[in-house]
Amino acid sequence: MAIEDVLSDLKKKIEEKVPDGTTITSVEFEGPQLVVYTENPKNFADNGHIVRNLAKTLRTRIVVRPDPKVLVPPEDAIEKIKDTVPKDSILTNFHFDPDVGEVVIEAEKPGLVIGKHGETLRDITKKIGWTPKVVRTPPIKSRTVNNIREFMRTNHKDRKEILKTVGRNIHRECTSKDKWVRVTSLGGCKEVGRSCFLLSTPESKVMIDCGVNVGSDDNMTPYLYLPEVQPLNQIDAVVLTHAHLDHQGLVPLLYKYGYEGPIYCTSPTRDMMVLLQLDYIDVAAKDGKRIPYESSNVRDGLKHTIALGFEEVTDIAPDIKLTFHNAGHIIGSAISHFHIGDGLHNVVITGDYKYGPTRLFDPAVNKFPRVETVITESTYGASSAIQPSLKEAEKNLQQIVKRTIANNGIVLIPAFAVGRSQEVMIVLEDAIRKGIIDDIPVYLDGMIWEATAIHATYPEYLNNNLRKLIFQKGQNPFLAECFKPVDSHDLRKKIINDPHPCVILATSGMMNAGPVMEYFKAFAPDPNNTLVFVGYQADGTLGRRIQKGWKEIPLSSKNGAEVVQMNMDVQVVDGFSGHSDRKQLMDFIKKMKPQPERVFTEHGDERSCIDLASSLHKKYRLETRALTNLETVRLV
């Protein structure tokens, strides 16, 4: 059936279900949802069950939008919104999009704007005609969040056309009589970096992640030249598990070479993705390295991004449904569940995950409606890779800071901007608030403050304890007075020239570059200072050399090469990792409901991937295998 006939048929079915006197002017697929345009949005607002019943009957996500002719002028609409919502909600901004009949309402307390069971939103719709969308006012000003929201608003016409194209592609008719499912390994197997998979059926091709190996010039990119992948414009969708560069750093390259389809990820992943991609090409340019894509390609990707929440079942291809579940790795990280065909097969691709509680996130989800095949990360898959508990790690860090401060020294922590920095921040804030550590400044340098602003924008993605602290007690630990963003070179110089007891969190995490190097050069000679590693240090990095005990560190500078004398104390605090250790990896599969038929391992060195696969087979009698790059495995 042609797509126009499908839409016509859907329009008739909707008209049969809506109340008398309701005029449906048009229906259109926009992305994964069916948009219903009506001259009577009040009828839908009066009965919140209509949309739910329609979605259940038609088995698709439905959005109701007003016909432009029934919209109240924006100036009047703002006054009516202010009169309708509680003043405690603290409205900060309004953005009207007449092409889709939506008004985006920014509020410090969006829950009050939504109301119980969406009652306040329905009241707003009745009074103004516009469809209200509520977003949280960022408690910390974020250039990234602000720029992305502005970009989406100014490009709404392009986005609408993109979504219409995507929607029609998703809902095209299935034509093949064959039934098979295959997965192709394009990168990240028996290695860490450039993660990329292709999930294929006779109808569809979906790429999961497209990362870059920032530590390798020879094996930097996934195998995107394979015949299964080319031409790129035949790929139906790209699904991103999270925002780290080794999982999404080369997505803009796809748009540079012909991909025109959607990206599916969570909202925090979208924002972090843009931040890290722009920083990646900026750093590459400064280091004189080859830049794989331009900022225009980053904007192309953003324009095609469709943000999904956890637990939302979404059609992404004619025969594939996607559901994201919390992965507990970094903010917005998602385990991806693919339901293929009419119950034909179910694949879970974990991405990176943490199957244990952290200061930031709830443990990764491992309960699914159905699952036959699991592809799991194996970063700490080796039998010896057991991490200390988070409590031990926190106590260890607190003692190191106390000891250093007592010696009138400085604690320098090289940190990755996303994830570990915020975890350490929460631990330090808690210790300072409880008096375990003296009230000292904690300086945040590099991208850490901007990444923290994105965390603060999406508190609903944090764990239960933090959400209660923020929503019920009105305490946002990210806003604590102890945190001092270093937002200028002058402030950095002042800290270096006037040393005083403090903690400095600075990028980069493996000491390859970034502001951490300026602090290191200044503070390394003093034995009263302490360098604390809270993240993995790869072979070949300066961080690993220091861990091995190097005492004379050759560094390049504007004046040529210089040697830094390494006298400061060096401490390694394990336990803050966003990855599951060996025990958690085994427990994740053991306690998975339902039990999978087969498990494939990836995202770890060769020994870790093989060790984990072998142990899962021996202990749980599952079919297992350590995947190799460039191979295709048939699942059905």
Side-chain angles (χ1 to χ4, degrees), residues 126-161:
K126 290 180 202 174
K127 292 176 181 179
I128 68 173
W130 299 82
T131 301
K133 273 190 166 183
V134 188
V135 296
R136 187 178 308 281
T137 304
I140 303 173
K141 286 186 179 180
S142 163
R143 293 189 310 275
T144 304
V145 173
N146 185 62
N147 290 343
I148 286 173
R149 289 180 178 177
E150 185 60 34
F151 179 84
M152 293 303 204
R153 285 191 291 271
T154 55
N155 289 273
H156 58 83
K157 289 184 179 178
D158 287 349
R159 261 187 71 79
K160 187 173 181 179
E161 289 305 311

Side-chain angles (χ1 to χ4, degrees), residues 144 147-152 155 159 162 251-252 255 263 270-271 273-274 277 295-306:
T144 304
N147 290 343
I148 286 173
R149 289 180 178 177
E150 185 60 34
F151 179 84
M152 293 303 204
N155 289 273
R159 261 187 71 79
I162 289 168
V251 169
Y255 291 92
I263 299 167
R270 177 198 61 198
D271 294 3
M273 170 183 75
V274 171
Q277 286 170 355
S295 59
S296 61
N297 303 128
V298 177
R299 292 192 292 273
D300 286 338
L302 177 57
K303 202 183 293 184
H304 287 77
T305 298
I306 298 172

Side-chain angles (χ1 to χ4, degrees), residues 126-255:
K126 290 180 202 174
K127 292 176 181 179
I128 68 173
W130 299 82
T131 301
K133 273 190 166 183
V134 188
V135 296
R136 187 178 308 281
T137 304
I140 303 173
K141 286 186 179 180
S142 163
R143 293 189 310 275
T144 304
V145 173
N146 185 62
N147 290 343
I148 286 173
R149 289 180 178 177
E150 185 60 34
F151 179 84
M152 293 303 204
R153 285 191 291 271
T154 55
N155 289 273
H156 58 83
K157 289 184 179 178
D158 287 349
R159 261 187 71 79
K160 187 173 181 179
E161 289 305 311
I162 289 168
L163 291 174
K164 283 172 70 173
T165 302
V166 171
R168 289 171 177 240
N169 186 52
I170 289 171
H171 295 94
R172 70 183 187 268
E173 189 176 4
C174 291
T175 57
S176 177
K177 294 180 181 178
D178 293 335
K179 292 185 177 181
W180 49 260
V181 181
R182 303 190 309 169
V183 64
T184 302
S185 308
L186 303 175
C189 295
K190 295 178 182 172
E191 64 179 359
V192 175
R194 60 171 178 171
S195 289
C196 192
F197 291 93
L198 189 72
L199 186 64
S200 307
T201 74
E203 301 290 345
S204 312
K205 291 182 179 181
V206 174
M207 182 177 287
I208 298 93
D209 288 342
C210 187
V212 59
N213 187 345
V214 293
S216 172
D217 292 330
D218 298 327
N219 300 308
M220 185 179 79
T221 67
Y223 294 94
L224 299 176
Y225 59 79
L226 295 192
E228 291 95 326
V229 181
Q230 296 292 333
L232 291 173
N233 62 9
Q234 289 187 3
I235 295 173
D236 288 271
V238 172
V239 174
L240 299 181
T241 59
H242 65 285
H244 278 148
L245 285 173
D246 62 323
H247 289 260
Q248 59 79 19
L250 286 183
V251 169
L253 191 73
L254 301 177
Y255 291 92

Side-chain angles (χ1 to χ4, degrees), residues 36 82 114 144 161 183 217 219 271 332 345 363 404 442 469 485 506 542 585 619 636:
V36 179
K82 289 179 177 178
I114 295 168
T144 304
E161 289 305 311
V183 64
D217 292 330
N219 300 308
D271 294 3
H345 202 72
T404 306
V442 178
L469 204 62
L542 176 59
L585 290 168
K619 195 157 188 179
V636 177

Side-chain angles (χ1 to χ4, degrees), residues 18-25 35-51 54 63-72 100-103 118-132:
V18 297
D20 292 339
T22 304
T23 302
I24 305 299
T25 52
V35 180
V36 179
Y37 289 90
T38 177
E39 292 181 8
N40 315 97
K42 183 176 182 295
N43 291 358
F44 289 88
D46 282 335
N47 188 343
H49 298 293
I50 296 177
V51 173
L54 282 173
V63 171
V64 176
R65 289 183 182 152
D67 189 282
K69 67 181 75 165
V70 302
L71 301 177
V72 171
V100 295
E102 286 183 353
V103 54
E119 289 175 2
T120 309
L121 281 186
R122 286 194 290 275
D123 284 345
I124 292 171
T125 302
K126 290 180 202 174
K127 292 176 181 179
I128 68 173
W130 299 82
T131 301

